Amino acid sequence: MESFCVCVSLAGWIVAAAWLFFSMRLLLFLRSRPSLVSARVEGRRADDPHVCVVVPARDEAGSVEACIRSLIAQDYPKLRIIAVDDRSSDNTGEIIGQLACESSHVEMVTVSALPQDWLGKNYANHVGASLARSQDCDYILFTDGDVLFDSRCVTLAVRYIQQQNLHQFCLLPGLMGGGLVERGMVSYFTLCYLLKCQPWQLQKRAKSNSFIGVGAFNLVERGAYDSVGGHESLRLEVADDYKLGKLFKRAGFSCGVAPSDDLVKIRWHKGLGGIVRGLEKNSFAGFDYSLLSVVMVIQAHLLGSIVPWIVVVAMMGIESMGWVVAIGVQVVALSWVCVTLRQSAALAVALPIYGATLAWAISRGVFLTWIRRGIYWRNTFYHLRDLKRGVV
């Protein structure tokens, strides 16, 4: 029994050390990022780059108008908005068409059929990027049809990407609406995603396992985008935004990420149930369809995020001190991310709920993908064998 307590105590200190090491690196990185709103804006210049925003939308009649109107309202003059109606069955296309009639900054493209060996959103992005290329734009901003932008967003992002000499730049969006648990869960997912991406390594070209992508805001330099093959290289990649970052990093381009300071906002999914369902298509893809990787990561996640709370409750003594420290570091790290996303740090107190929910969501998504032998995305079924073939 004594040896067991020693092993439990030692394991707690190992988990605490791991949390402390990676959390400190992440928090130092976030603290060192220049604020986007502090980017130097020197007025309009004749050599300001041309920016095209690609907005793929399928059955998003409830959100696409607000999204595009927030882009029309941007204070950046050299801006084109390419809205792609991706086989919508609702009136998304009519809304986009009306906005294109109202504003000369908006151009509508309609995708009526999906070519073989393409995912719908990836093809819509490809079509939009092809049109942006024909208009000789300098930067392409990939976003989604349910994102809202502050009017200063594009100007500040362009200044930032130029001042930091980046080829790819992502923004972590702020959160709109939702209850406390929903917002806490999204903040926790953001923490886990950042720890996986290791953004503090983005500027180190030798660290090829450190890359990032954010679907709500992925700004890329067009020449670099073309040189990595664009979305043509991501035909069947479910995590297209994330893997676009991998293409850039693998090619040796400079990549970066920063909090949006609420210049970009999104409601990711509605409620815990919506988040769990929303992760169905991404769960297995996030591990490149490797069951071994899934098992290893789930085990590590449970050990790092759930077990400390169980041990502390079960063993109220000196043997649990390492686990107590691990919990303290977790809560501080999550609190920091909450504040970074302009949320209350108090959301971190429900961390074990978020950890258990994420483990369940990933397990459920992997199981359903395996049983169905594929995924449903934007009302289209994609077979697992094809998805495996398209992994980048």
Side-chain angles (χ1 to χ4, degrees):
M1 183 64 181
E2 183 178 345
S3 60
F4 172 76
C5 291
V6 170
C7 290
V8 170
S9 178
L10 178 61
W13 286 111
I14 292 173
V15 171
W19 264 105
L20 185 62
F21 177 76
F22 288 105
S23 296
M24 284 301 297
R25 301 199 74 178
L26 175 60
L27 299 186
L28 288 172
F29 169 82
L30 292 174
R31 194 166 185 265
S32 68
R33 292 303 86 196
S35 171
L36 194 68
V37 295
S38 69
R40 199 167 57 254
V41 180
E42 300 168 345
R44 303 292 170 256
R45 301 192 301 253
D47 61 346
D48 274 339
H50 289 268
V51 179
C52 283
V53 186
V54 176
V55 186
R58 175 163 187 174
D59 295 338
E60 296 191 68
S63 59
V64 72
E65 180 174 0
C67 170
I68 295 176
R69 287 197 183 279
S70 71
L71 288 168
I72 294 172
Q74 293 297 300
D75 62 9
Y76 191 80
K78 296 184 178 181
L79 184 71
R80 294 286 299 168
I81 303 158
I82 300 173
V84 185
D85 176 21
D86 176 25
R87 301 165 293 138
S88 295
S89 58
D90 62 6
N91 63 335
T92 296
E94 286 126 18
I95 294 171
I96 295 174
Q98 180 60 40
L99 292 169
C101 292
E102 292 179 15
S103 173
S104 60
H105 292 286
V106 180
E107 189 162 354
M108 176 182 175
V109 183
T110 301
V111 173
S112 56
L114 183 63
Q116 188 175 5
D117 289 337
W118 275 95
L119 298 181
K121 182 184 176 184
N122 297 7
Y123 184 66
N125 276 327
H126 169 70
V127 170
S130 298
L131 183 55
R133 188 181 298 112
S134 71
Q135 297 179 359
D136 202 27
C137 75
D138 301 294
Y139 291 94
I140 303 176
L141 170 58
F142 295 100
T143 187
D144 293 321
D146 55 355
V147 181
L148 293 181
F149 299 84
D150 184 280
S151 61
R152 303 165 293 164
C153 182
V154 173
T155 296
L156 292 172
V158 169
R159 294 292 184 267
Y160 192 99
I161 199 172
Q162 291 180 318
Q163 290 165 14
Q164 301 294 319
N165 296 314
L166 303 175
H167 296 95
Q168 181 217 14
F169 178 48
C170 301
L171 286 177
L172 302 174
L175 309 180
M176 301 188 294
L180 295 177
V181 177
E182 176 188 322
R183 287 184 276 126
M185 182 65 198
V186 175
S187 300
Y188 179 76
F189 179 85
T190 302
L191 170 63
C192 294
Y193 183 60
L194 290 173
L195 290 174
K196 173 180 172 60
C197 295
Q198 301 178 47
W200 57 88
Q201 305 274 32
L202 283 175
Q203 298 299 311
K204 299 178 181 178
R205 297 189 177 184
K207 300 293 184 178
S208 59
N209 63 329
S210 172
F211 52 89
I212 197 166
V214 177
F217 193 100
N218 223 351
L219 179 63
V220 299
E221 195 271 320
R222 186 180 62 83
Y225 172 79
D226 290 343
S227 72
V228 301
H231 278 79
E232 182 85 25
S233 301
L234 301 167
R235 288 169 170 255
L236 290 167
E237 183 58 71
V238 174
D240 64 298
D241 49 357
Y242 176 59
K243 290 300 182 68
L244 182 59
K246 182 176 184 178
L247 294 179
F248 272 76
K249 189 63 180 292
R250 192 166 62 185
F253 289 113
S254 181
C255 309
V257 63
S260 72
D261 297 323
D262 270 356
L263 294 174
V264 181
K265 287 188 174 184
I266 188 171
R267 185 173 187 185
W268 191 32
H269 296 291
K270 295 182 179 180
L272 279 184
I275 292 172
V276 170
R277 290 188 296 274
L279 287 171
E280 275 184 24
K281 68 177 179 62
N282 297 88
S283 294
F284 210 2
F287 301 97
D288 292 338
Y289 308 103
S290 166
L291 285 174
L292 178 60
S293 295
V294 172
V295 172
M296 291 176 62
V297 170
I298 290 293
Q299 286 181 338
H301 180 75
L302 292 175
L303 178 63
S305 300
I306 307 301
V307 171
W309 300 79
I310 296 174
V311 173
V312 168
V313 171
M315 298 178 61
M316 302 291 285
I318 191 68
E319 298 87 356
S320 66
M321 283 306 300
W323 299 100
V324 172
V325 173
I327 289 174
V329 176
Q330 291 175 37
V331 171
V332 170
L334 180 55
S335 297
W336 194 290
V337 171
C338 288
V339 172
T340 298
L341 298 179
R342 303 292 182 91
Q343 303 299 309
S344 169
L347 294 175
V349 298
L351 191 147
I353 296 176
Y354 312 143
T357 301
L358 184 58
W360 161 248
I362 292 173
S363 303
R364 176 181 178 274
V366 171
F367 176 76
L368 290 176
T369 302
W370 184 261
I371 292 297
R372 295 167 176 166
R373 306 306 297 167
I375 64 167
Y376 287 95
W377 190 14
R378 293 189 167 199
N379 298 320
T380 304
F381 180 77
Y382 303 99
H383 201 281
L384 187 56
R385 66 169 178 273
D386 298 323
L387 297 175
K388 287 182 176 180
R389 181 163 47 86
V391 169
V392 172

